[in-house]
Amino acid sequence: MKFINLVNLSLLALSSVKASMYHASRITYYGGSSDGDSEKNPFCEDYSDRVPHDVGDIDYYVALSSEVLSKSNAREFCGKKIRLSNAENGRSLTALVVDKCGSCDYGDVDLSRKAFKYISNDQMSKGVLKKVSWCIEGGPSKFACSSSDSSSSSNKKTTKKTTKKTTKTTKTTKNSRSAGGVYIELEKGTRYGDVSKATSIKYYSGSAYVYIDDAESSSGSRSRVAAKVNLSKSGKYDIVVKYNNSSSKCRENRIIINDSNVYRINFGKTGSDWKKLTIKGVPFKSGQNIIEVRATDGKMSFDYIYIL
């Protein structure tokens, strides 16, 4: 009788571990040399300094469904560890949350190729796994791992190869305030002069980006785009500018705050990629602010400005 009780107790404990993890309907994979630029510009690089501009040097990473991961809750997921367990073969692993998956249904996960290969036991030809559950270490309550989940996770850890590649940090400086993450999608701003919306460069945020062609329009007006942003507190904030300079030389253009604080920036060449530049300690006032990209040389694209 005592033996039966012990067995029942063990089964209850096992059930509680499984119940604390979210069961995904579909687990798929992406990335690698055959998948274009899918490993560049991950959504989470703006929200966590653990996520680089190119995640190709990380072995185990994941993209969560865009119905789960969004701008409003990004800091609850991005750069955190996700535990996955495959009930079909008993394999489990820990990976890094780096991106969101637009084609995934709610709760489904897109893994790196190496992560999928391991958790499927080298069954890449399957393409889809349907018996995988997951949770986020320190994540929001619905998806958070319980303390008991740690006992069921394998020793297989998120690994990152040593690389000389450097990435810009998105941590705020010691004397800067934090706005909690405010995106200014520049295509929604007011455009003046020779500025247009465009969509030809891949991996932009929002509905489009802006392209500044000539520094002055044919009528002589300075080309620029201006947007309004409201902040609850005045102070110095760090901002991130996402830009593309596909020309063969550096281009100078300006970031201007409230028509008084002017930052002349010599933007380097980017080819067909987007790059990000951080400006630290930018003063803003409480209430409405005007942030502007104003042409000096023009001939550049700008996606957004992000206030950390």
Side-chain angles (χ1 to χ4, degrees), residues 22-28 63-66 68 101 103-110 134:
Y22 186 91
H23 177 70
S25 298
R26 289 169 56 88
I27 298 292
T28 50
L64 300 179
S65 165
S66 56
V68 171
C101 172
S103 61
C104 295
D105 290 335
Y106 185 91
D108 292 349
V109 182
D110 216 9
W134 59 272

mmCIF file of all heavy atoms in Angstrom, residues 22-28 63-66 68 101 103-110 134:
data_model
loop_
_atom_site.group_PDB
_atom_site.id
_atom_site.type_symbol
_atom_site.label_atom_id
_atom_site.label_comp_id
_atom_site.label_asym_id
_atom_site.label_seq_id
_atom_site.Cartn_x
_atom_site.Cartn_y
_atom_site.Cartn_z
ATOM 1 N N TYR A 22 3.855 25.406 -21.174
ATOM 2 C CA TYR A 22 2.856 25.615 -22.220
ATOM 3 C C TYR A 22 3.087 24.627 -23.358
ATOM 4 O O TYR A 22 4.207 24.513 -23.877
ATOM 5 C CB TYR A 22 2.938 27.057 -22.739
ATOM 6 C CG TYR A 22 1.849 27.397 -23.722
ATOM 7 C CD1 TYR A 22 0.646 27.935 -23.279
ATOM 8 C CD2 TYR A 22 2.005 27.153 -25.087
ATOM 9 C CE1 TYR A 22 -0.364 28.238 -24.177
ATOM 10 C CE2 TYR A 22 1.006 27.447 -25.992
ATOM 11 C CZ TYR A 22 -0.192 27.987 -25.521
ATOM 12 O OH TYR A 22 -1.192 28.277 -26.412
ATOM 13 N N HIS A 23 2.031 23.931 -23.770
ATOM 14 C CA HIS A 23 2.161 22.948 -24.847
ATOM 15 C C HIS A 23 1.936 23.642 -26.187
ATOM 16 O O HIS A 23 0.875 24.222 -26.442
ATOM 17 C CB HIS A 23 1.156 21.820 -24.694
ATOM 18 C CG HIS A 23 1.200 20.831 -25.824
ATOM 19 N ND1 HIS A 23 2.253 19.959 -26.000
ATOM 20 C CD2 HIS A 23 0.348 20.613 -26.857
ATOM 21 C CE1 HIS A 23 2.032 19.230 -27.086
ATOM 22 N NE2 HIS A 23 0.887 19.614 -27.623
ATOM 23 N N ALA A 24 2.940 23.597 -27.045
ATOM 24 C CA ALA A 24 2.848 24.215 -28.370
ATOM 25 C C ALA A 24 2.219 23.251 -29.369
ATOM 26 O O ALA A 24 2.463 22.044 -29.324
ATOM 27 C CB ALA A 24 4.245 24.612 -28.852
ATOM 28 N N SER A 25 1.412 23.792 -30.267
ATOM 29 C CA SER A 25 0.812 22.962 -31.311
ATOM 30 C C SER A 25 1.830 22.595 -32.386
ATOM 31 O O SER A 25 1.812 21.499 -32.945
ATOM 32 C CB SER A 25 -0.365 23.703 -31.961
ATOM 33 O OG SER A 25 -1.370 23.965 -31.015
ATOM 34 N N ARG A 26 2.744 23.548 -32.669
ATOM 35 C CA ARG A 26 3.736 23.321 -33.717
ATOM 36 C C ARG A 26 5.079 23.938 -33.309
ATOM 37 O O ARG A 26 5.146 25.073 -32.872
ATOM 38 C CB ARG A 26 3.298 23.965 -35.037
ATOM 39 C CG ARG A 26 2.131 23.288 -35.726
ATOM 40 C CD ARG A 26 1.611 24.155 -36.871
ATOM 41 N NE ARG A 26 2.642 24.491 -37.851
ATOM 42 C CZ ARG A 26 2.945 23.752 -38.902
ATOM 43 N NH1 ARG A 26 2.301 22.613 -39.118
ATOM 44 N NH2 ARG A 26 3.877 24.118 -39.752
ATOM 45 N N ILE A 27 6.141 23.169 -33.480
ATOM 46 C CA ILE A 27 7.508 23.653 -33.303
ATOM 47 C C ILE A 27 8.210 23.512 -34.656
ATOM 48 O O ILE A 27 8.270 22.417 -35.220
ATOM 49 C CB ILE A 27 8.267 22.856 -32.226
ATOM 50 C CG1 ILE A 27 7.589 23.015 -30.857
ATOM 51 C CG2 ILE A 27 9.721 23.298 -32.164
ATOM 52 C CD1 ILE A 27 7.680 24.405 -30.269
ATOM 53 N N THR A 28 8.719 24.604 -35.176
ATOM 54 C CA THR A 28 9.375 24.597 -36.484
ATOM 55 C C THR A 28 10.801 25.141 -36.332
ATOM 56 O O THR A 28 11.262 25.365 -35.215
ATOM 57 C CB THR A 28 8.577 25.447 -37.473
ATOM 58 O OG1 THR A 28 8.301 26.733 -36.882
ATOM 59 C CG2 THR A 28 7.250 24.783 -37.814
ATOM 60 N N ALA A 63 12.328 32.103 -31.859
ATOM 61 C CA ALA A 63 11.393 33.182 -32.133
ATOM 62 C C ALA A 63 10.024 32.747 -31.614
ATOM 63 O O ALA A 63 9.583 31.631 -31.896
ATOM 64 C CB ALA A 63 11.327 33.476 -33.630
ATOM 65 N N LEU A 64 9.385 33.620 -30.849
ATOM 66 C CA LEU A 64 8.053 33.339 -30.323
ATOM 67 C C LEU A 64 6.989 33.931 -31.238
ATOM 68 O O LEU A 64 7.234 34.908 -31.950
ATOM 69 C CB LEU A 64 7.899 33.932 -28.917
ATOM 70 C CG LEU A 64 8.857 33.433 -27.841
ATOM 71 C CD1 LEU A 64 8.576 34.144 -26.523
ATOM 72 C CD2 LEU A 64 8.739 31.927 -27.657
ATOM 73 N N SER A 65 5.808 33.376 -31.183
ATOM 74 C CA SER A 65 4.696 33.882 -31.983
ATOM 75 C C SER A 65 4.491 35.378 -31.719
ATOM 76 O O SER A 65 4.564 35.845 -30.585
ATOM 77 C CB SER A 65 3.419 33.119 -31.622
ATOM 78 O OG SER A 65 2.277 33.790 -32.110
ATOM 79 N N SER A 66 4.215 36.138 -32.785
ATOM 80 C CA SER A 66 3.956 37.570 -32.628
ATOM 81 C C SER A 66 2.653 37.824 -31.878
ATOM 82 O O SER A 66 2.392 38.942 -31.448
ATOM 83 C CB SER A 66 3.907 38.250 -33.997
ATOM 84 O OG SER A 66 2.941 37.637 -34.842
ATOM 85 N N VAL A 68 2.172 36.346 -29.079
ATOM 86 C CA VAL A 68 2.647 36.283 -27.693
ATOM 87 C C VAL A 68 3.631 37.417 -27.412
ATOM 88 O O VAL A 68 3.524 38.121 -26.407
ATOM 89 C CB VAL A 68 3.327 34.921 -27.412
ATOM 90 C CG1 VAL A 68 4.026 34.930 -26.045
ATOM 91 C CG2 VAL A 68 2.309 33.795 -27.470
ATOM 92 N N CYS A 101 7.894 35.538 -34.378
ATOM 93 C CA CYS A 101 7.568 34.774 -35.585
ATOM 94 C C CYS A 101 6.177 35.180 -36.067
ATOM 95 O O CYS A 101 5.173 34.885 -35.397
ATOM 96 C CB CYS A 101 7.629 33.278 -35.273
ATOM 97 S SG CYS A 101 7.023 32.217 -36.605
ATOM 98 N N SER A 103 4.552 34.101 -38.685
ATOM 99 C CA SER A 103 3.777 33.000 -39.271
ATOM 100 C C SER A 103 3.364 31.953 -38.237
ATOM 101 O O SER A 103 2.667 30.999 -38.579
ATOM 102 C CB SER A 103 4.592 32.332 -40.380
ATOM 103 O OG SER A 103 5.794 31.787 -39.865
ATOM 104 N N CYS A 104 3.801 32.120 -36.994
ATOM 105 C CA CYS A 104 3.475 31.147 -35.943
ATOM 106 C C CYS A 104 2.137 31.473 -35.297
ATOM 107 O O CYS A 104 1.830 32.645 -35.044
ATOM 108 C CB CYS A 104 4.555 31.150 -34.861
ATOM 109 S SG CYS A 104 6.181 30.604 -35.407
ATOM 110 N N ASP A 105 1.353 30.447 -35.003
ATOM 111 C CA ASP A 105 0.121 30.640 -34.242
ATOM 112 C C ASP A 105 0.455 30.869 -32.776
ATOM 113 O O ASP A 105 1.589 30.651 -32.337
ATOM 114 C CB ASP A 105 -0.791 29.409 -34.392
ATOM 115 C CG ASP A 105 -1.371 29.291 -35.790
ATOM 116 O OD1 ASP A 105 -1.474 30.330 -36.478
ATOM 117 O OD2 ASP A 105 -1.705 28.159 -36.198
ATOM 118 N N TYR A 106 -0.541 31.287 -32.029
ATOM 119 C CA TYR A 106 -0.349 31.598 -30.612
ATOM 120 C C TYR A 106 0.300 30.425 -29.872
ATOM 121 O O TYR A 106 -0.178 29.292 -29.940
ATOM 122 C CB TYR A 106 -1.697 31.912 -29.962
ATOM 123 C CG TYR A 106 -1.593 32.374 -28.526
ATOM 124 C CD1 TYR A 106 -1.477 33.724 -28.222
ATOM 125 C CD2 TYR A 106 -1.589 31.458 -27.476
ATOM 126 C CE1 TYR A 106 -1.363 34.158 -26.911
ATOM 127 C CE2 TYR A 106 -1.471 31.872 -26.163
ATOM 128 C CZ TYR A 106 -1.366 33.222 -25.890
ATOM 129 O OH TYR A 106 -1.252 33.634 -24.586
ATOM 130 N N GLY A 107 1.411 30.716 -29.196
ATOM 131 C CA GLY A 107 2.081 29.702 -28.384
ATOM 132 C C GLY A 107 3.050 28.810 -29.122
ATOM 133 O O GLY A 107 3.769 28.029 -28.499
ATOM 134 N N ASP A 108 3.088 28.915 -30.452
ATOM 135 C CA ASP A 108 4.032 28.101 -31.219
ATOM 136 C C ASP A 108 5.408 28.772 -31.232
ATOM 137 O O ASP A 108 5.534 29.977 -31.002
ATOM 138 C CB ASP A 108 3.534 27.886 -32.639
ATOM 139 C CG ASP A 108 2.297 26.998 -32.683
ATOM 140 O OD1 ASP A 108 1.972 26.396 -31.635
ATOM 141 O OD2 ASP A 108 1.661 26.916 -33.746
ATOM 142 N N VAL A 109 6.450 27.993 -31.522
ATOM 143 C CA VAL A 109 7.824 28.477 -31.425
ATOM 144 C C VAL A 109 8.608 28.067 -32.664
ATOM 145 O O VAL A 109 8.473 26.946 -33.165
ATOM 146 C CB VAL A 109 8.521 27.907 -30.163
ATOM 147 C CG1 VAL A 109 9.941 28.455 -30.031
ATOM 148 C CG2 VAL A 109 7.722 28.233 -28.900
ATOM 149 N N ASP A 110 9.440 28.976 -33.158
ATOM 150 C CA ASP A 110 10.350 28.722 -34.264
ATOM 151 C C ASP A 110 11.768 28.618 -33.686
ATOM 152 O O ASP A 110 12.267 29.583 -33.095
ATOM 153 C CB ASP A 110 10.264 29.882 -35.259
ATOM 154 C CG ASP A 110 10.400 29.452 -36.707
ATOM 155 O OD1 ASP A 110 10.399 28.237 -36.966
ATOM 156 O OD2 ASP A 110 10.494 30.336 -37.577
ATOM 157 N N TRP A 134 6.944 24.320 -23.368
ATOM 158 C CA TRP A 134 7.988 25.304 -23.065
ATOM 159 C C TRP A 134 7.557 26.252 -21.953
ATOM 160 O O TRP A 134 6.367 26.392 -21.650
ATOM 161 C CB TRP A 134 8.356 26.094 -24.323
ATOM 162 C CG TRP A 134 7.222 26.861 -24.961
ATOM 163 C CD1 TRP A 134 6.345 26.395 -25.904
ATOM 164 C CD2 TRP A 134 6.850 28.225 -24.710
ATOM 165 N NE1 TRP A 134 5.449 27.366 -26.261
ATOM 166 C CE2 TRP A 134 5.734 28.515 -25.541
ATOM 167 C CE3 TRP A 134 7.329 29.218 -23.869
ATOM 168 C CZ2 TRP A 134 5.108 29.761 -25.549
ATOM 169 C CZ3 TRP A 134 6.711 30.470 -23.872
ATOM 170 C CH2 TRP A 134 5.618 30.735 -24.700
#
